[in-house]
């Protein structure tokens, strides 16, 4: 069995088609890194933004001083005095903020932001808001995220401010401009290794990644010319059961999948280290809980758990592919039917708020939403968990493989 697996691995990893697909994956990762690198907000950008605000405040103060100069009586006006004090204090605070960015004084910036949001929470604690941004839930998330960063000495990804937090409970915005600003600032780009990997896998662990792996391994059975005199018949003539032949191919693609995912992760980390920085492995990722509670998970752990669920989703997809391949005997047909079945399953799965929903495999294709429990919040079903997803995919994959072996014996 081990020799068969080794034989299949060598065939997979050395084939021209596999090498071409892996090169395309590498180029895609590189291109996405360039995109993130270009759109990453850096310290210089933050300094420039503060300087613009500082210039506007200084301009307003200057205009006020010119008014007083032209009309000295305004100097005793309480409103004018108050405005001048506000502008002066604002200029000083912006100068402190600018210096903090220049000196990478993240403790100062985090402490200031923590103090600001704490005051906001104290003001709004008696008027609970769970619909309009910023909801009380989001306020608490933002506060606890800042505390997490401060206590763990983590450099925050920019931008980080009041308009950079958004949760699933924020359903209404007072103004369209606010919604655009919050959405833009919340959707952070970063070329630091860990955060880039987090963003990359957010895309790869979806239909794009599933499609890539199905096309990469879609012909592992059909290319053998099943029941039409292909090379697989040579293996069938050996003292090896058909089950072992099929299983060796299945294990080979699982091992190849793990190698490709790990390779993609290492390549992404290397890009980040070479052109930016490693970043924080324990950067906080929001995990929703029942009853409007939450906690944070270290980003690297979140990535690992998401990779586990994605692997189980691929296990299910491969099992379905093998079963359909044994029936159709054609590569294009097998991939097309498999991909079509997956899309139809996702589109027509119905709501996820029923007792049977946790056992529907197609609900678990939204990897990040499942691991963050956002899917559970949206569908009001906190049985939609990572654990249930792994178990469901494992059981159904096993049943599909049994069906594949059954078809192989019959035909």
């Amino acid at each position: 069995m081990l020799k068969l697996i080794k034989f299949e691995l060598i065939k997979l990893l050395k084939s021209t088609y596999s090498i071409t697909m892996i090169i395309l994956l590498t180029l895609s990762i590189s291109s996405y890194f360039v995109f993130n690198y270009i759109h990453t907000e850096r310290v210089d950008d933050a300094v420039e933004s503060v300087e613009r605000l500082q210039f506007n405040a200084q301009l307003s103060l200057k205009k006020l001083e010119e008014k007083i100069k032209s009309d000295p009586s305004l100097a005793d006006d309480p409103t004018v005095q108050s405005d001048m004090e506000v502008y002066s204090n604002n200029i000083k605070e912006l100068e402190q903020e600018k210096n903090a960015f220049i000196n990478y004084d993240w403790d100062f910036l985090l402490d200031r932001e923590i103090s600001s949001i704490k005051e906001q929470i104290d003001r709004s604690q008696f008027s609970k808001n769970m619909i309009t941004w910023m909801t009380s839930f989001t306020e608490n998330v933002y506060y606890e995220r800042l505390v997490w960063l401060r206590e763990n000495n983590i450099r925050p990804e920019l931008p980080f401010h009041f308009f950079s937090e958004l949760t699933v409970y924020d359903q209404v915005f007072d103004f369209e401009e606010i919604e655009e600003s919050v959405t833009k600032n919340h959707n952070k780009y970063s070329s630091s290794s860990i955060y880039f990997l987090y963003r990359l896998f957010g895309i790869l662990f979806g239909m794009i990644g599933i499609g890539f792996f199905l096309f990469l391994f879609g012909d592992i059975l059909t290319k053998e010319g099943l029941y039409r005199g292909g090379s697989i018949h040579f293996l069938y003539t050996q003292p090896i059961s058909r089950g072992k032949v099929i299983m060796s191919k299945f294990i080979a693609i699982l091992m190849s999948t793990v190698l490709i995912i790990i390779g993609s992760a290492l390549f992404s980390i290397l890009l980040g280290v070479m052109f930016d920085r490693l970043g924080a492995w324990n950067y906080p990722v929001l995990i929703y809980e029942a009853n409007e509670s939450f906690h944070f998970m270290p980003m690297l752990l979140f990535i690992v758990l998401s990779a586990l669920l994605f692997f189980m989703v691929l296990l299910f997809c491969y099992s379905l592919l093998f079963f359909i391949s044994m029936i159709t005997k054609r590569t294009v047909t097998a991939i097309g039917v498999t991909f079509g079945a997956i899309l139809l399953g996702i589109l027509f799965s119905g709501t996820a708020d029923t007792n049977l929903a946790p056992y529907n495999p197609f609900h678990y294709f939204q990897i990040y939403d499942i691991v963050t429990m956002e899917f559970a919040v949206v569908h009001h079903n906190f049985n939609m968990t990572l654990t249930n997803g792994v178990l469901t995919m494992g059981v159904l994959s096993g049943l599909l493989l049994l069906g594949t072996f059954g078809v192989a014996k019959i035909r």
Side-chain angles (χ1 to χ4, degrees):
M1 184 71 171
L2 290 176
K3 290 183 178 179
L4 275 175
I5 295 172
K6 183 179 179 181
F7 172 72
E8 294 295 340
L9 276 172
I10 292 173
K11 278 204 309 180
L12 282 171
L13 299 177
K14 284 191 174 182
S15 71
T16 303
Y17 178 72
S18 296
I19 293 173
T20 302
M21 291 291 285
I22 291 172
I23 290 174
L24 287 174
L25 175 62
T26 304
L27 292 174
S28 298
I29 293 173
S30 301
S31 299
Y32 187 59
F33 178 81
V34 171
F35 176 81
N36 274 265
Y37 187 87
I38 293 172
H39 288 83
T40 297
E41 181 172 327
R42 308 192 183 282
V43 171
D44 290 344
D45 299 321
V47 170
E48 185 179 339
S49 178
V50 173
E51 286 178 341
R52 282 198 298 269
L53 294 174
Q54 196 174 26
F55 174 78
N56 291 333
Q58 290 171 339
L59 187 62
S60 298
L61 180 61
K62 185 177 180 181
K63 288 181 179 178
L64 202 56
E65 290 173 343
E66 289 176 351
K67 283 185 178 180
I68 295 175
K69 189 175 181 180
S70 61
D71 185 2
S73 63
L74 292 175
D76 298 325
D77 190 315
T79 302
V80 174
Q81 290 178 346
S82 176
D83 289 344
M84 288 191 67
E85 184 178 355
V86 168
Y87 288 133
S88 298
N89 290 335
N90 189 23
I91 291 169
K92 292 177 182 177
E93 290 173 359
L94 289 170
E95 184 66 23
Q96 290 177 330
E97 182 179 354
K98 183 178 72 172
N99 290 332
F101 275 117
I102 292 173
N103 297 315
Y104 297 93
D105 189 354
W106 306 113
D107 289 347
F108 171 84
L109 293 167
L110 287 169
D111 286 339
R112 187 199 59 170
E113 202 68 19
I114 287 171
S115 176
S116 175
I117 191 62
K118 187 66 169 62
E119 291 177 4
Q120 171 68 21
I121 292 173
D122 291 340
R123 287 196 299 269
S124 60
Q125 63 179 331
F126 300 110
S127 57
K128 189 175 182 181
N129 170 27
M130 286 302 294
I131 298 176
T132 306
W133 183 90
M134 172 183 269
T135 60
S136 58
F137 178 87
T138 304
E139 287 177 344
N140 288 315
V141 168
Y142 183 48
Y143 173 76
E144 294 297 335
R145 187 189 301 280
L146 293 171
V147 171
W148 175 293
L149 294 172
R150 181 69 172 85
E151 291 179 347
N152 291 278
N153 296 315
I154 299 172
R155 170 179 169 175
E157 296 292 344
L158 301 178
F160 79 100
H161 48 62
F162 192 73
F163 286 85
S164 63
E165 195 68 59
L166 182 68
T167 70
V168 69
Y169 292 105
D170 297 304
Q171 301 175 20
V172 178
F173 291 82
D174 291 328
F175 301 100
E176 185 177 342
E177 294 78 12
I178 293 179
E179 182 175 6
E180 292 177 359
S181 178
V182 172
T183 302
K184 177 183 177 181
N185 288 299
H186 173 68
N187 187 29
K188 299 177 183 178
Y189 297 96
S190 177
S191 51
S192 63
S193 295
I194 303 299
Y195 206 94
F196 170 68
L197 184 61
Y198 166 74
R199 286 189 59 88
L200 173 69
F201 279 179
I203 296 175
L204 186 62
F205 292 172
M207 291 307 298
I208 291 177
I210 291 169
F212 170 80
F213 283 106
L214 286 180
F215 277 99
L216 180 60
F217 301 122
D219 64 345
I220 191 169
L221 282 181
T222 53
K223 73 179 178 183
E224 303 282 10
L226 285 174
Y227 317 114
R228 290 178 291 141
S231 59
I232 199 171
H233 291 279
F234 172 74
L235 294 175
Y236 285 164
T237 62
Q238 305 302 306
I240 305 170
S241 66
R242 291 192 174 192
K244 285 186 177 180
V245 173
I246 295 173
M247 184 54 70
S248 66
K249 293 179 177 292
F250 193 79
I251 293 174
I253 66 171
L254 292 182
M255 293 176 68
S256 299
T257 298
V258 171
L259 290 174
I260 292 171
I261 292 176
I262 292 176
S264 298
L266 293 176
F267 180 63
S268 300
I269 291 173
L270 179 63
L271 286 173
V273 171
M274 288 177 60
F275 297 100
D276 196 333
R277 58 191 175 90
L278 179 61
W281 69 270
N282 55 343
Y283 203 88
V285 177
L286 173 63
I287 308 297
Y288 294 89
E289 297 177 1
N291 302 318
E292 299 171 5
S293 299
F294 67 91
H295 69 276
F296 290 107
M297 180 184 293
M299 186 167 283
L300 189 58
L301 175 60
F302 176 83
I303 291 172
V304 171
L305 293 179
S306 299
L308 171 62
L309 181 57
F310 180 63
F311 179 79
M312 296 305 295
V313 168
L314 286 178
L315 178 69
F316 171 76
C317 294
Y318 292 153
S319 302
L320 183 62
L321 175 66
F322 268 50
F323 180 74
I324 294 174
S325 293
M326 294 299 295
I327 296 174
T328 62
K329 311 175 192 177
R330 295 178 182 275
T331 300
V332 175
T333 304
I335 295 176
V337 173
T338 302
F339 205 76
I342 292 169
L343 288 176
L344 290 174
I346 294 173
L347 290 174
F348 297 102
S349 287
T351 60
D353 57 357
T354 64
N355 292 330
L356 293 178
Y359 309 107
N360 183 338
F362 299 106
H363 286 316
Y364 294 100
F365 279 67
Q366 300 181 51
I367 307 297
Y368 273 23
D369 287 351
I370 291 294
V371 181
T372 61
M373 296 295 287
E374 182 175 330
F375 190 90
V377 173
V378 172
H379 296 279
H380 309 287
N381 188 346
F382 282 87
N383 289 319
M384 302 299 303
T385 63
L386 169 68
T387 302
N388 284 336
V390 170
L391 292 175
T392 298
M393 292 298 181
V395 171
L396 292 178
S397 298
L399 292 175
L400 283 170
L401 283 176
L402 288 176
T404 301
F405 295 146
V407 173
K409 288 182 179 180
I410 293 172
R411 307 184 81 173

